[in-house]
Amino acid sequence: MSSPAVLQDLTNRSLRPLSEQEQTVGVVLLEDAWNLILSQRPSAADRIADAAFKALVVQVQCAVVLRVLRNPEGKLEEQIDDYRYRLDSATSTGALYLTDAELALLGAGDGESDGAWTVNGSRKPVVGWWETPDRWVPST
């Protein structure tokens, strides 16, 4: 399946005109971002038919790609004489990644667990002790 986001989506969300090189790389990175989304949220492939979810995916894809295009070298700080420029550490990696907030947005309503757990109070407690830090000994 090809990327839901296209170059025009990326251009519309950029705060400046994108160079030809950025446009070329941007299209490839949009595809990479889609593959990253699918690797983290496989249910996205099935949910993309929903227009609202597709719009959310496009938004996230563009945000992921624009982080790279804004800072391809991954600089955190630059200083020349008395000039100093510092980027937010969240945007300074230069790498393609999904933030926790983006993953939460894409996973909301998919019916899959994100690894959360629930304490089941109906089970009888197991009594015992830790003989060593890695050995539990149940009492009989």
Side-chain angles (χ1 to χ4, degrees), residues 4-5 13-14 18 23 25 47 53 56 59 62 64 70-71 75-76 78 80 88 92-95 104 107 121 126 130:
R13 286 169 173 82
S14 178
L18 299 176
Q23 291 177 23
V25 171
R47 299 175 65 202
F53 184 75
L56 182 63
Q59 174 188 347
C62 290
V64 167
R70 288 183 184 129
N71 188 19
K75 291 182 182 178
L76 176 63
E78 182 176 70
I80 301 171
D88 177 33
S92 68
T93 67
V126 177
W130 288 100

Side-chain angles (χ1 to χ4, degrees), residues 115-125:
W117 50 275
T118 307
V119 175
N120 185 347
S122 64
R123 301 182 99 194
K124 290 183 180 179

Side-chain angles (χ1 to χ4, degrees), residues 5 13 53-64 102 105:
R13 286 169 173 82
F53 184 75
K54 181 179 179 181
L56 182 63
V57 168
V58 168
Q59 174 188 347
V60 169
Q61 276 184 273
C62 290
V64 167
E102 290 163 344
L105 279 172

Side-chain angles (χ1 to χ4, degrees), residues 14-115:
S14 178
L15 295 175
R16 59 175 174 76
L18 299 176
S19 69
E20 282 186 43
Q21 183 180 19
E22 288 173 326
Q23 291 177 23
T24 302
V25 171
V27 170
V28 174
L29 291 178
L30 283 172
E31 194 68 41
D32 292 346
W34 175 236
N35 291 331
L36 187 61
I37 289 169
L38 290 177
S39 74
Q40 298 290 316
R41 295 288 187 251
S43 64
D46 298 330
R47 299 175 65 202
I48 201 71
D50 175 40
F53 184 75
K54 181 179 179 181
L56 182 63
V57 168
V58 168
Q59 174 188 347
V60 169
Q61 276 184 273
C62 290
V64 167
V65 171
L66 286 172
R67 278 196 294 269
V68 174
L69 292 180
R70 288 183 184 129
N71 188 19
E73 294 89 21
K75 291 182 182 178
L76 176 63
E77 189 171 331
E78 182 176 70
Q79 184 170 352
I80 301 171
D81 295 329
D82 62 345
Y83 166 78
R84 184 174 177 176
Y85 183 74
R86 182 175 174 87
L87 289 172
D88 177 33
S89 61
T91 61
S92 68
T93 67
L96 207 62
Y97 67 94
L98 292 166
T99 65
D100 291 339
E102 290 163 344
L103 281 170
L105 279 172
L106 295 171
D110 68 357
E112 294 180 14
S113 171
D114 284 336

